Amino acid sequence: IRRSRPGNLCMGANQPKRIEERIVREIWLAFVLLAAAMAQTTLLPRLFGAVPNVLLLIIICRALINGPANAARWAFYAGLGLDLFADSALGTHALALLLAVLLATLPLAWLSRGNWLLPLLGVVLGSLGYQAMFILLNSVLIAPIDLRAYITVVALPTTVLLLIPALPLFLSLRWFESRRRGEVPIDVY
């Protein structure tokens, strides 16, 4: 027997989280994503001339598993962290990651979470949306970007690099999320 509210006893009732717990969780999430953004911008090596955008991959997989509303918070925090540590205009990475979340989830909503094509298509759509928004914002706010050079040197190699770990990461996150929710992996009749 747990107490749902002071003085009220209930059997197994799911107790809503207090506002303080929600705030602490959000602050903790923001700090973790800021640390991940710092690690991505400072520690990751260049592979084939491009730095893999690990946060983009994690956020797209998170969006495909838990939906765009949940992943939008992650995209906002990670984007602000990337803006701070990559020395870019504040908000460019955040807006690009938010667009990536939308483009990776909304067109693919008809696919099952069990479909193995889902993370691959999501990463392609999300990465292309991210790169398009990033080009647009940097061209408007900073200076025009040579589109052909950016696509061949940055956008395509980064997207290909993200496709390699997309399926294993998606399957791992999906398994972890099903375990966290207590889902049974086998149909029980």
Side-chain angles (χ1 to χ4, degrees):
I1 298 175
R2 294 185 302 185
R3 294 185 182 272
S4 63
R5 293 183 192 180
N8 293 342
L9 296 178
C10 61
M11 296 281 295
N14 199 0
Q15 190 175 18
K17 295 191 179 186
R18 296 186 323 209
I19 189 73
E20 299 88 12
E21 293 172 353
R22 289 181 184 175
I23 291 172
V24 168
R25 283 187 72 161
E26 287 299 312
I27 291 171
W28 179 248
L29 176 65
F31 279 131
V32 167
L33 290 171
L34 284 172
M38 182 175 67
Q40 178 177 311
T41 55
T42 58
L43 300 176
L44 285 183
R46 287 188 159 299
L47 299 172
F48 308 113
V51 175
N53 195 341
V54 177
L55 283 172
L56 175 63
L57 177 63
I58 291 170
I59 289 169
I60 288 173
C61 288
R62 176 83 178 175
L64 292 171
I65 293 171
N66 292 352
N70 186 295
R73 293 183 357 255
W74 287 52
F76 180 71
Y77 297 146
L80 288 180
L82 287 173
D83 290 332
L84 291 173
F85 296 114
D87 197 29
S88 59
L90 193 62
T92 54
H93 284 282
L95 287 174
L97 284 172
L98 288 169
L99 181 66
V101 165
L102 291 177
L103 287 180
T105 55
L106 297 182
L108 302 175
W110 57 275
L111 285 174
S112 166
R113 276 185 18 187
N115 192 335
W116 287 24
L117 284 176
L118 182 66
L120 300 176
L121 292 173
V123 165
V124 168
L125 292 174
S127 179
L128 294 178
Y130 172 84
Q131 298 296 341
M133 179 61 85
F134 195 72
I135 289 171
L136 176 70
L137 290 173
N138 279 328
S139 294
V140 169
L141 297 175
I142 299 172
I145 294 175
D146 181 19
L147 191 59
R148 182 179 297 170
Y150 187 85
I151 289 173
T152 57
V153 174
V154 177
L156 289 178
T158 303
T159 302
V160 170
L161 280 175
L162 291 182
L163 282 173
I164 296 167
L167 187 58
L169 179 67
F170 177 78
L171 293 174
S172 300
L173 289 176
R174 189 181 69 187
W175 176 81
F176 179 73
E177 187 65 23
S178 67
R179 299 286 291 180
R180 189 183 69 80
R181 290 182 183 171
E183 295 174 358
V184 178
I186 301 171
D187 290 333
V188 179
Y189 296 158

